[in-house]
Amino acid sequence: MPVPEKPALEGLEDALSARWERDGTYRFDRSKPRDQVYAIDTPPPTVSGSLHVGHVFSYTHTDIVARFQRMRGKEVFYPMGWDDNGLPTERRVQNYFGVRCDPSLPYDPNFRLPDEADPSTGSGSPRAKSRGEKQPISVSRPNFIELCVKLTVEDEQLFEHLWRYLGLSVDWSMTYATIAPPAQRVSQMMFLRLLQKKLAYQVEAPTLWDVDFRTAVAQAELEDREQPGAYHRIHFSQAGGSGVVAIETTRPELIPACVALVAHPDDARYQSLFGTEVITPIFGVRVPVLAHALADPEKGSGIAMICTFGDTTDVTWWRELKLPVRAIVQPDGTLGRVTWGDRGWECADVARAQQAYDQLVGLSAKKAQVKVVELLRESGDLQGEPKPITHNVKFYEKGDRPLEIVTSRQWFFKTIDYRDQLIARGREIAWHPAYMQARYENWVNGLNGDWCVSRQRFFGVPFPVWYPLLADGTTDYHQPLVPAESRLPIDPSTDVPDGYTADQRGQPGGFIADPDVMDTWATSSVSPQLVSQWQTDADIFARTFPMDLRPQAHDIIRTWLFSSVVRAHFENDSVPWTHAAISGWVLDPDRKKMSKSKGNVVTPLGLLQEYGSDGVRYWAARGGPGVDTAFDVGQMKIGRKLAMKVLNVSKFVLAGEQPVGTVTEALDRGMLQNLANLVDEATEELSDYEYARALAKIESFFWDFCDNYVEAAKSRRYGDFGVDAAASASTAMRLALSVLLRLLAPYLSFVCEEVWSWSNAGSVHRAQWPTREDLIAVSGTDDAAQRSVFHLTEALNAIRKAKTDRKVSVGTPVREVIYFAGDEAARSLALVERDLKAACRADGLVLKTGEPRVEITLKPAEA
RNA sequence: GCGCGCUUGGCUCAGCGGUAGAGCACCGCCUUCACACGGCGGGGGUCGGAGGUUCGAAUCCUCCAGCGCGCACCA
C-alpha cells in the first residue's frame, strides 16, 4: 500500500476494526499448546448499565497486555462476556416488557407478549408504557430469562461496537452472557459438586437481611454508612431485688427481643450481677446477666443488652452463650405478632406486655423505636434524654435501609475453615501492583462466617435442587433431590426431579423446588471455568486453565476475585489464574471517583471520536497498575499529537524511493544501538505489566528520534553526501521506524497498524516483537558511534539555543558555527560532523576544545 | 484500632542511592521541502515535616502530619 499524500487519523477506527474482523487478526488458534497460550479472564460489563470512561480506562490496560503478549508469540485467549445477571437487568426487563417474574409458574414455551414486536427496535422506551398502567403480566422464571436475553442482545451490540472502536483485541467469536444456559450449567454443576463434597450446605440461621429487597446478603456485599442515632439509657430491674441495672442502647425497639445482658468478665462493677437475673422494662421478661469477653467496659455503661438480633455481635453472643431466640423483626422489616405468655415469651404481666407490644406490631423498626421510647418515658425506665450520636451502620451496598438480622434457611459455601488455604492461593498469584495482595489477605483474615450464596430473588441462576414433601405436607430439607449433571441446566420451578411426575409438585409425597437463586458472585465467580470450557471442551480447557490473567478493579477484590479463588480452589485444586492486574479508578478533577450515580461520567464514544481511540488509549496507558488516575482530556490531546507524529514521521521515512544499503554512518549505528537498549527496557517493563513505564520510555525515545536523529540525518538521507551515505540513513531509519511502530502498537493500535500497512503485509499486531538482536545485527556494537549520538544532540541543542538568543530561526542558514566542547566530545563529534553541520545549516562548522560554548557568525542581512 | 497507598514546579505525573525530570499551562522566537492537529528555545520546584543511616537521600530507616482506600469495631 503506497504512502498517502495527506495521511490522517480520521476514520482509522472503523476501517481497521473492520479489517481486523475480516482477517480474523485476533481469532484464537486452539491448536497452540498451553505454554504458548496467554488466557485472559475479562470482566463482563453489566449490559443494563452503561459503559463509562472508567471501563475504557481499565479495559485498555488489559488490551495493552494482550497485544504485547500476542506480539511476543503467545496465542492470546481473550473472550468477552456480558453480565446480564442481576438487579439492574431484572428491573429493566420488568419495565421494558411490563412483566413480573413469578417463579411458581411453569415455563410456557409458547409464551408471547400481547403486542409482541421486535424488541431490538428502539431502546429505553418501556413497552409497558404504551399499554398504559396495566398490571404487569406474570411469567415463569425461564420465560423471564428468555425476555432478558432478548433485551440484552441490543445492549451487547452497542457495547461490542464501542469495544471494537476502542480497539480491544478480543476474539469476538467467543462471547458469553452470565445468565445464558452455558453459564447456568457451569454454575449449577459446580454447585452440585460442592454439595457432594459437603462444601455447600444449607442451614437455618440468623443471616444479614435487606428488608427492602427481602433477601439475605453476604458479608462481601456490606458497606458501613455513617448514620445518626442515639444512646438510650434504660433501666432493667433486678429480679428479686430492688436495684436497677442501667444499660445503653441505640435500638430500644429491640427490648422485647432481649434475651440477656452481658458485661466483661473482669468488669468490677458487674461481678455481683453475673449469674443473676434482671427484668426487661415494659415487657417484664426475666433475662440472665452473663459475662463475655466481647463486652467492652469502655462502651456505654459497660453492660449491653443482647437481642435476637440487633447486630452481628448479638449473633456471636447468642451462639456462644447458647441463648434462646425471641425474634420480632420480620423479613419485611416490620415487627411481627407475638402472643405474650406463650412458650418463650413468658413474662411477669402478660396483659401489660401484650398491650404495649400490640402498639408496635406492623411498625418498621424506626417507627417502633419512637413508640418504645414513648412507653419507656411513661414507665419511667428511660433515664434522661437520648444522647444523639453518629455511628456506622451496616447496609447492603445496594440498599436504602440498615440491614436487619433475620433467621432464615440459606445455602452457604464453606470458607471459614479454609482461610489458610485461601491465603496460600493468594500467594500463588502474582499481583500487579504487588501491594494489592494485602487487601486480599485483609479480607480473608477478616471473614467472620461462611459465604451465604442464596438470594430470595427470582432472577438469577436457580439452585438445581428440589425437596421431597412428606406425607404430612412438610418439607424434608435433609434429603434434597438433585438432577444428574447431564440434565443441567435445569430450573426446578419448571423441571421435575427424576422419579417424580409434574403433577406431584407441591403434593404430599411429592416435591417442591428450592425457591432461591444464587448470589451474583456465586455465578460470576465461575467465569474462569466457563470461558475455559470446563466440562464442555476438555481440549480447550487444558490449553487455557488455569488462566494467565484476571484484570479487575480494586473494589471487587473481596467479591469477584476472592470468590473466584474459592471456586477454583475447591473445584480445580488450583488458582484460577496466575496473575491479577488490579486497575485503579478514574477520578474526576475534584479527585472523586467517577461513577454514574455521582452524575459525573463522560460518554466514552464521544471522547473516542473527538481525540481518536489512540489518543484515549494513550491517556489510559499512562495510568499504571492500581493507580487512580485523573480524567484528563489534556493527556488525550497529547496522545493524539503523538499519533499524528507517528503518521508524519512515517510519511517522511517511507515515502518515495529510498536507497537501501549497509548502515555505515556513526549516527545511524549509534541510534540503532540506543534503540536496542530501549527494546530491552520496554520488553522488561511490559513483561512485568508495567505498561505505563514502558510507554514513557518508548515515547521519550520516539520524540528524540524525530527531533534530533531524523533532523540530523535528513540532509544526508536526501542524498547531500552521496548515495551510500543516503542508503545508510534510509536503511537505519526504516529499521528504527519498524521497531518503534511495533513498540507503540500495543498503545496506539490504530495509527501503528495504518502506517505498518504502508510497507508491510499482514498486521503489526501479529508481527514479532522486536529484539535487541534485530538491531545489533545491523548496527554492530560501537561505543564511539553511540556516544556520538549523545554529543550530537547536546551540540544541536546548544546551537539551537544560540540561534534563539540571536533571535534568528533555527532554520536560518549561518556563515559559521564554532562549537567549543570537551576533549572527548569534540573527538566524538568528529564522527558525525557532516550531519551536525547540515543540521545547523552552517556554511562552516569548527569544533574546538574548551569550555562548552557556541559562537555563531550570521550571514550579512539580505536586502 | 490494624493495614495499604499517596504527598515532587500553577496542573497531571515520572524518577525510588550519585549534581532535580516530562507533558500541559505560561513567556519568547520560527509558516524550514514529514509534521502549524507543527517546530525551537526559556522562566519556574531547597522533592509534606522532623530526626537518622551514608562520602552522598526525592530515593533507605524512624517518628509525625495531611489526603485517599481497605479491614475490624460499632451497646
Side-chain angles (χ1 to χ4, degrees), chain A residues 76-240:
Chain A
V76 174
F77 180 75
Y78 192 3
M80 178 64 67
W82 309 118
D83 186 14
D84 42 18
N85 175 14
L87 281 169
T89 312
E90 178 179 314
R91 288 204 180 117
R92 251 192 94 209
V93 173
Q94 286 175 345
N95 295 337
Y96 190 92
F97 293 110
V99 297
R100 266 192 74 81
C101 178
D102 181 349
S104 69
L105 293 175
Y107 177 61
D108 175 0
N110 301 314
F111 174 77
R112 288 181 74 80
L113 290 162
D115 56 348
E116 181 141 17
D118 180 5
S120 64
T121 55
S123 65
S125 74
R127 194 159 301 259
K129 230 175 236 168
S130 63
R131 282 206 302 273
E133 297 303 314
K134 281 186 199 163
Q135 281 294 311
I137 304 159
S138 291
V139 300
S140 75
R141 181 159 54 199
N143 287 113
F144 192 89
I145 288 170
E146 280 183 359
L147 290 173
C148 159
V149 170
K150 212 174 206 171
L151 181 65
T152 52
V153 162
E154 182 189 329
D155 291 315
E156 290 170 10
Q157 285 166 352
L158 284 170
F159 279 32
E160 184 176 325
H161 175 255
L162 183 77
W163 286 150
R164 286 179 183 270
Y165 197 90
L166 175 64
L168 297 189
S169 59
V170 161
D171 181 347
W172 291 106
S173 71
M174 302 187 295
T175 55
Y176 67 95
T178 58
I179 196 66
Q184 296 209 23
R185 183 171 172 280
V186 175
S187 297
Q188 292 186 337
M189 196 181 291
M190 286 177 65
F191 167 80
L192 290 178
R193 291 180 177 213
L194 285 177
L195 182 62
Q196 198 171 25
K197 287 188 258 190
K198 306 225 183 310
L199 292 164
Y201 65 93
Q202 198 187 46
V203 70
E204 184 153 6
T207 331
L208 293 159
W209 186 274
D210 186 285
V211 297
D212 292 311
F213 289 104
R214 296 190 199 183
T215 179
V217 302
Q219 187 185 352
E221 297 169 299
L222 303 186
E223 70 182 30
D224 284 346
R225 292 186 203 160
E226 200 54 39
Q227 295 287 305
Y231 277 127
H232 300 74
R233 198 171 177 90
I234 291 164
H235 288 164
F236 282 57
S237 51
Q238 285 184 266

Side-chain angles (χ1 to χ4, degrees), chain A residues 261-340:
Chain A
L261 298 189
V262 66
H264 194 274
D266 300 334
D267 194 326
R269 295 168 292 180
Y270 300 109
Q271 292 300 319
S272 64
L273 286 176
F274 292 142
T276 69
E277 289 185 310
V278 293
I279 313 286
T280 65
I282 306 175
F283 302 98
V285 177
R286 293 174 79 99
V287 297
V289 181
L290 304 169
H292 193 279
L294 229 53
D296 182 355
E298 303 290 311
K299 210 156 267 176
S301 58
I303 187 161
M305 161 175 92
I306 305 176
C307 306
T308 51
F309 296 93
D311 58 36
T312 51
T313 320
D314 279 344
V315 178
T316 308
W317 280 326
W318 166 81
R319 193 176 54 232
E320 294 186 9
L321 299 171
K322 304 202 180 340
L323 296 166
V325 177
R326 262 192 283 279
I328 57 171
V329 178
Q330 306 184 106
D332 67 357
T334 63
L335 271 55
R337 229 157 243 305
V338 166
T339 308
W340 291 87

Side-chain angles (χ1 to χ4, degrees), chain A residues 525-540:
Chain A
S525 57
V526 305
S527 64
Q529 290 81 2
L530 175 63
V531 299
S532 297
Q533 306 278 331
W534 175 77
Q535 296 295 316
T536 53
D537 187 331
D539 181 67
I540 290 266

